[in-house]
Amino acid sequence: MITVDHLTKTYGAFAAVDDVSFQCRPGRVTGFLGPNGAGKSTTMRVMVGLTPPTRGSVTIGGVKYADIPNPGRHVGVLLDASAQHKGRTGREILRLAAMTMGLPGQRVDQMLEVVGLTPTESKRRLRNYSLGMMQRLGIAHALLGDPQVLILDEPANGLDPAGIRWMRSLLKEYADRGGTVLLSSHLLNEVELIADEMILIGQGRIVAHGDKAALLASRRGTATSLVTSLDNHALGTALAGAGFGVQPRGHGLQVGATTEQVGRVALSAQVVLTDLRDGGATLEDLFLELTSTAQRDAIGATS
């Protein structure tokens, strides 16, 4: 478990992280979301002892990272995939890490296979790696010691769609085996697909924390649904007759009702639905609303 307790990191008068508290539990993937400069990377650097906190603390399994013996065997870290010697090969980087952790050499081959780096690619020097290959090597490095905790900063950066799906599957399987995963990203859609819990941070402060359903429920007002059917006129008449507000929306209707209520009315009216979805606030809407003061670009701005 990762426990962040009233963590604050200031640089002069600027608070990069401001009184942040949260926990990441075993068996779950926790998404750490926020715009650029929100405090995600600073928080993670404090977690692994690279940046000293001004106040507060971070413990992993009840212990500060600096006090963990042979930390790579307990905590896998990926903060910057390019932060390795550019003249070394991928295999050399992993082999040196394995020697440092006291791991057998075959562990390197196992991890190269897990992350999909071929023998030829593993012999290339890091300077000749693509960003996606660096990310795969960084994930292999984080997993090398078979740790119980993973702390990953933007691990999907540079991966193609197939690579992102692979990473998603890898991390879900890791959590299902009881591992703790903290995953930082600004790719909201990707984190939404993998995270069991989400922490939203803006201007150094936590603005929301919970699973997707809880986050949306906390902001949801009047229920709204979007529906398309084989007979929108008949459906609209039935919905209006049931007391729900109905407006045309694209090829279908926007209805002031829950999806369950719309479905029941359609069943009674014997109208076949071709699409029915929640038309309320999305996670992206919530994210942009809660972090609006920290966004670098104004939404809807024109040049």
Side-chain angles (χ1 to χ4, degrees):
M1 178 181 290
I2 302 172
T3 301
V4 180
D5 185 25
H6 296 287
L7 180 65
T8 296
K9 177 60 184 178
T10 59
Y11 297 93
F14 172 67
V17 180
D18 189 2
D19 195 31
V20 164
S21 296
F22 61 86
Q23 287 187 331
C24 305
R25 295 174 287 168
R28 301 178 73 80
V29 177
T30 301
F32 197 26
L33 301 166
N36 293 331
K40 304 186 301 297
S41 294
T42 300
T43 300
M44 298 175 99
R45 287 179 60 84
V46 173
M47 285 180 181
V48 298
L50 294 176
T51 297
T54 304
R55 291 185 298 277
S57 64
V58 180
T59 57
I60 301 173
V63 181
K64 290 183 178 179
Y65 183 87
D67 296 330
I68 301 174
N70 200 354
R73 300 289 294 268
H74 303 278
V75 185
V77 179
L78 173 58
L79 299 186
D80 182 356
S82 66
Q84 296 284 356
H85 194 297
K86 300 299 187 295
R88 290 185 178 138
T89 68
R91 178 177 291 278
E92 287 172 344
I93 289 168
L94 293 184
R95 189 179 66 198
L96 288 170
M99 292 171 60
T100 302
M101 296 181 208
L103 297 169
Q106 59 263 34
R107 182 67 178 169
V108 171
D109 294 315
Q110 292 171 357
M111 287 302 96
L112 287 170
E113 184 176 351
V114 165
V115 301
L117 287 175
T118 67
T120 299
E121 290 170 336
S122 72
K123 294 176 183 176
R124 291 185 195 170
R125 301 193 184 280
L126 192 68
R127 68 168 67 96
N128 298 320
Y129 271 30
S130 66
L131 180 55
M133 289 171 63
M134 286 185 190
Q135 291 296 103
R136 287 177 181 268
L137 182 66
I139 293 171
H141 193 287
L143 292 171
L144 191 63
D146 194 21
Q148 294 84 43
V149 175
L150 287 179
I151 298 173
L152 309 175
D153 192 6
E154 303 282 1
N157 189 25
L159 293 178
D160 58 22
I164 291 174
R165 174 175 287 187
W166 159 80
M167 184 199 68
R168 189 191 309 149
S169 176
L170 180 74
L171 296 183
K172 286 297 287 183
E173 290 176 4
Y174 177 89
D176 289 343
R177 295 195 303 269
T180 302
V181 181
L182 177 62
L183 170 68
S184 160
S185 183
H186 61 271
L187 299 176
L188 184 63
N189 293 336
E190 286 306 321
V191 175
E192 183 179 353
L193 291 173
I194 188 176
D196 301 296
E197 296 183 58
M198 284 172 273
I199 300 165
L200 274 62
I201 185 171
Q203 293 188 323
R205 299 184 67 89
I206 301 298
V207 295
H209 184 190
D211 61 26
K212 178 183 176 180
L215 290 175
L216 290 178
S218 69
R219 294 284 167 166
R220 186 170 287 139
T222 304
T224 304
S225 297
L226 300 176
V227 60
T228 307
S229 73
L230 295 182
D231 190 340
N232 287 337
H233 177 74
L235 179 60
T237 300
L239 287 165
F244 299 118
V246 181
Q247 293 181 340
R249 177 76 176 271
H251 296 293
L253 305 170
Q254 178 175 305
V255 186
T258 66
T259 53
E260 179 182 351
Q261 289 169 327
V262 172
R264 289 183 181 277
V265 170
L267 179 62
S268 297
Q270 296 187 321
V271 176
V272 176
L273 302 184
T274 56
D275 187 33
L276 176 59
R277 67 186 69 182
D278 188 341
T282 65
L283 191 60
E284 182 179 77
D285 295 331
L286 174 65
F287 175 81
L288 293 175
E289 175 191 344
L290 293 177
T291 63
S292 59
T293 58
Q295 295 291 340
R296 186 177 300 273
D297 301 308
I299 306 304
T302 57
S303 56

